[in-house]
Amino acid sequence: QELVRKVGLRSVRQSCGTTLEDVDAFLKTEQYPLVLKPVESAGSDGVKLCSSYNEAKDHFELLMNSQMVNGGECPAVLCQEFLRGKE
């Protein structure tokens, strides 16, 4: 997404962090729902569509204290705007 943005194309608004403070401003200013997911995992492991700040905050903390299906810890959480439309 960052490379797409650098060349001037529309990309998903997002914020990534290892602490809630890293993403707090994003979580407080973006329109809900938002997608939260671990940066390293497999498939849909840990991916959640959050409909409120409190839900996003709780899921962020859960991910940062969880072991992923690939056996590793969650190094960071990616928070992204939810894009509506057909897949």
Side-chain angles (χ1 to χ4, degrees):
Q1 292 299 323
E2 299 307 318
L3 291 174
V4 170
R5 182 177 293 116
K6 283 182 182 180
V7 296
L9 300 174
R10 165 73 165 94
S11 64
V12 175
R13 289 188 311 274
Q14 63 185 20
S15 182
C16 185
T18 59
T19 67
L20 184 60
E21 290 75 28
D22 293 340
V23 299
D24 199 52
F26 181 84
L27 296 179
K28 287 181 175 175
T29 58
E30 284 297 312
Q31 183 176 350
Y32 283 84
L34 294 175
V35 177
L36 271 69
K37 56 188 172 184
V39 295
E40 293 180 13
S41 193
S44 61
D45 180 42
V47 177
K48 183 171 185 177
L49 185 63
C50 299
S51 59
S52 70
Y53 172 79
N54 285 334
E55 186 177 9
K57 181 181 69 153
D58 290 346
H59 192 60
F60 183 94
E61 295 296 342
L62 175 71
L63 288 174
M64 289 305 299
N65 292 298
S66 296
Q67 184 176 24
M68 303 291 98
V69 295
N70 61 9
E73 293 182 6
C74 181
V77 175
L78 183 61
C79 308
Q80 296 180 318
E81 71 175 309
F82 175 65
L83 298 178
R84 298 181 195 282
K86 294 182 181 178
E87 193 171 324

